Amino acid sequence: MQKRTLLLLRFVLILSTILVMTYSERDLNIASPGYAVALAYFISNLALYLIPETKFAVPAVSFAIFLTDLVAVSLAIYLSQGIQTDFYLIFFLIIFIASFAQDIRGSIPIAIVASIVYTWLVYRFNPGVSLMDSAILIKVPFLFIVSLISSYWATATRREIMERRKLETSARKLEDEVARITAEETELRRYSEMVINCVASGVIVVKDDGTITTINPEAARVLGVDQRDLTGRNIKSTQSLDMLWQKMAQAMNTNRSMERLQISIRNADNELVPIGLSLSPMHSPNTELSGCVGILRDLTEVKELERKLQHAERLSYLGKMATWVAHEIRNPLTAIDGFSQLLSYTRDPEKIEAFSKEIHRGTRRINHIIEDILTFARTRTRSGAVEIDLHRLMTEITEDIANVRVFIDGTAGAVVRGEEESLKSLFTNIITNSVEAMDKDPKIVVRFSKTKNWIVTEIVDNGRGISAENMQNLITPFFTTKSRGTGLGLAIVKKIVDDYQGKIEIKSEEGKGTTCRVYLPTQEDK
Amino acid sequence: MTPINPAGDDAPVLEPGLTKKRILICDDEEPIRLLLAEALQDSYDIVEAANGRDALRLATKEHIDLIIIDIKMPQVHGLEAIERIRERDSNVPIIICSAYPLMEDDIVVKTSDIAAFITKPIDIESLKSRITELIGR
């Protein structure tokens, strides 16, 4: 029991004592000794305020206090001659307070002492009283009963209070824990949001039903939408994101990541924005967590750079071409011009014929150069696509080659859809390169094979091969190692192969020969 | 039409002091060599080279009175050939005959004392008169 409560109850006790005393004397006589005791009792209680709280917790101290109470009350009864009065009730109060302050171990001794003091008082005022008198037979056991009941009640109440306090404490701890976890979670969410917002790429996350759970500022910028508007809404409700949703749905349905996709999305200004896209589906038994993560990149600048690069390359080609044309055409032109000058000085028919031949040779050479330029510059027309048997084409190309052994084998079903002219140009250039690279025992082997997607034409020669240094410049337009080459041959080959959406592989070993593999798509139905 | 002295190891080596002066024509284009040979063979001995390497070899081995040389050639490039010819012979007149204009700015050209530049196509009469100016007939 707290010091304050105990002392307060003692004041009630003192007041009750004074009250009963005054009532039993039927008169207020301040000078009577009972009042002196009550006053001392009152002052002693005030003095107890000076004792520190901790002392009250010591059982001996509180026991002494209650003994003092018994003595004081008994003394007051004794001095006021009031055993016949209601002083008896005061004992109940003491026992009651003692039960409160301590448990049954405190209240029972107090009850015993109270019973002894009370019995002594009864005997003192009624010397011949029987043990069977109600004053003893009823009242003494009653003191014990009250002591037991109040102790039991006080203990129960104390336990209840303690339990409630314990509960309150653990509830408070729980509350603190919840608050801490909530704060941590908020911090974590803010942190991950910050990370996602900082990422230079666009990030968009949707659930499998299309609800947007995350969209970072870069994604909103790239897609031309308002970030706050879109979070929590369904992607399907924004028409401009239809293409994005289709791809995301595809990734989720197939449960496969999709890398390096390119889509175009119309932004708020109605401009088509090229977007690079990588999609990763998220799968979880809990559908709440199933969805798709999209990483976006604005390709506008990349495309612009590509365009500029292509432009620069074109300009560079043009520059090279101009130089090349100057040189290549001027040589035959010089011959034509020179021999025609010589024609005017000679009458010798033999010379006239020889000079005319040279003039003709010069014009043919110029024409050849122009053909090459045109082939290189021409874009492939799709309209003339027919089925072409490469086996037949290759036979035609190689049959006119003198002094070179040519072997053609492999699948007879090497058929592609395309134009005769471009394919002829493609293989003629490769074969010409081989023929010009071979010195002794020239031999070319052409093999056809077929895979699921490709018709492969392999052309192997036993020529000089290509040095590692020249390999790097192999398809650069106007690069040549031949004295008469235009430098356009392999550039033309590459261009035609690209037009057919095919590919070319060239492997070479200096001094041993070159192997050239051309892959053309099996079905060119576009 | 037969070129007078085709380039090659087995080409006859002519001794200096004969009546005709000797001109080395170096060009990788056969028609150009033929043309120059036809134009000049009446007045001069002609030696031909199809690349810079052969030109160097001939210039070292034989007495040459004048060299007409192209620039863009395989194996030894024209400018390199000129540089190396000059290392051995600082006097032989060299005429550059090229399809590329503006060769005058090149450092090798500047330091090699080039007698004349001819840009293709060639005016045969003016070439002849320039050669006459340089070495006579």
Side-chain angles (χ1 to χ4, degrees), chain A residues 266-302:
Chain A
R266 219 167 262 287
N267 67 8
D269 299 328
N270 208 28
E271 291 164 347
L272 269 181
V273 183
I275 290 172
L277 187 62
S278 289
L279 297 173
S280 310
M282 298 190 290
H283 248 284
S284 138
N286 175 4
T287 49
E288 276 286 302
L289 292 176
S290 293
C292 184
V293 182
I295 308 290
L296 314 167
R297 269 197 71 196
D298 185 349
L299 296 182
T300 312
E301 272 180 34
V302 177

Side-chain angles (χ1 to χ4, degrees), chain A residues 323-324 326-328 330-335 337-339 341-342 345 350-351 354-355 358 361 365 480-485, chain B residues 1 27-32 34-36 38-39 41-42 70 72 74 97-101 119-125 128:
Chain A
T323 316
W324 175 79
H327 186 264
E328 292 304 309
R330 262 185 187 156
N331 273 324
L333 203 64
T334 302
D337 182 56
F339 283 112
Q341 287 177 60
L342 293 183
Y345 300 122
E350 207 179 300
K351 292 226 159 175
F355 294 169
E358 285 303 319
R361 201 165 87 164
R365 172 127 179 87
T480 184
T481 57
K482 299 176 200 164
S483 58
R484 293 288 189 78
Chain B
M1 178 173 71
D27 198 307
D28 61 321
E29 291 274 334
E30 192 210 350
I32 303 292
L34 280 177
L35 171 71
L36 292 176
E38 277 294 333
Q41 64 186 350
D42 291 344
D70 187 16
K72 186 185 173 250
C97 174
S98 170
Y100 292 105
T119 305
K120 293 172 185 173
I122 307 160
D123 181 65
I124 289 171
E125 279 311 307
K128 276 181 175 171

Side-chain angles (χ1 to χ4, degrees), chain A residues 238-257:
Chain A
T238 307
Q239 204 193 342
S240 64
L241 304 183
D242 197 39
M243 180 65 106
L244 178 61
W245 167 242
Q246 276 179 26
K247 296 284 177 197
M248 287 181 131
Q250 197 184 334
M252 286 187 281
N253 288 337
T254 54
N255 196 20
R256 272 215 189 130
S257 292

